[in-house]
Amino acid sequence: MMKKMSLAVVGLAFSGAAMAQCSADIHATDQMTWDKPTINVPADCKEFTVKLHHDGKLPKATMGHGWVLTKTADMAGVSSAGMAAGAANNHVPQGDARVIAFIPLVSGGETHEVTFDTSKLEKGGEYSYFCPFPGHFAVMKGKLTFG
Ligand code: CO
């Protein structure tokens, strides 16, 4: 599976040098992990799509995974506000301008995606993403760069 995907990506790069990859896939597990420590959003992308695949079997009540993008400086504050917002809000603070984009919690076997406008990002800015499920913040996170 991984080999096949790598070949597809290489093929794409050779066949369409001018076309940027404006999406990223993240695969999460029942072991509270995911496979993407970094994401780069190419400067050419007007929009960017993140797809979160929960490859496990557990329901979101016990092992849900979501994806929240903020400036790195805002991450801890948004995580705390998300705890206060509770499960009914996917542990994401509603209407919070610090949240650049988010994917609601998914259960094992589910995939959910979000597409956001890259005009929300500054070149050279420091962005981070994390899973808002309680207790996951410490290990399920990553850095996002633009440009
Ligand atoms: Co998680």
Side-chain angles (χ1 to χ4, degrees), residues 91-103:
H91 299 290
V92 178
Q94 301 300 294
D96 190 320
R98 296 173 297 176
V99 176
I100 297 167
F102 75 96
I103 295 173

Side-chain angles (χ1 to χ4, degrees), residues 32 64-66 131 133 136 140:
M32 211 199 293
H65 299 305
C131 174
F133 194 89
H136 293 200
M140 299 187 78

Side-chain angles (χ1 to χ4, degrees), residues 38-78:
T38 60
I39 293 175
N40 175 249
V41 177
D44 300 356
C45 298
K46 297 261 187 295
E47 291 184 331
F48 195 81
T49 299
V50 172
K51 289 182 195 171
L52 176 62
H53 309 264
H54 189 333
D55 292 343
K57 291 186 164 54
L58 295 172
K60 67 180 173 188
T62 53
M63 185 53 73
H65 299 305
W67 186 85
V68 181
L69 177 65
T70 67
K71 286 181 179 167
T72 297
D74 291 336
M75 180 168 64
V78 170

Side-chain angles (χ1 to χ4, degrees), residues 3 43 46 80 94 126:
K3 252 180 193 162
K46 297 261 187 295
S80 298
Q94 301 300 294
E126 294 187 14

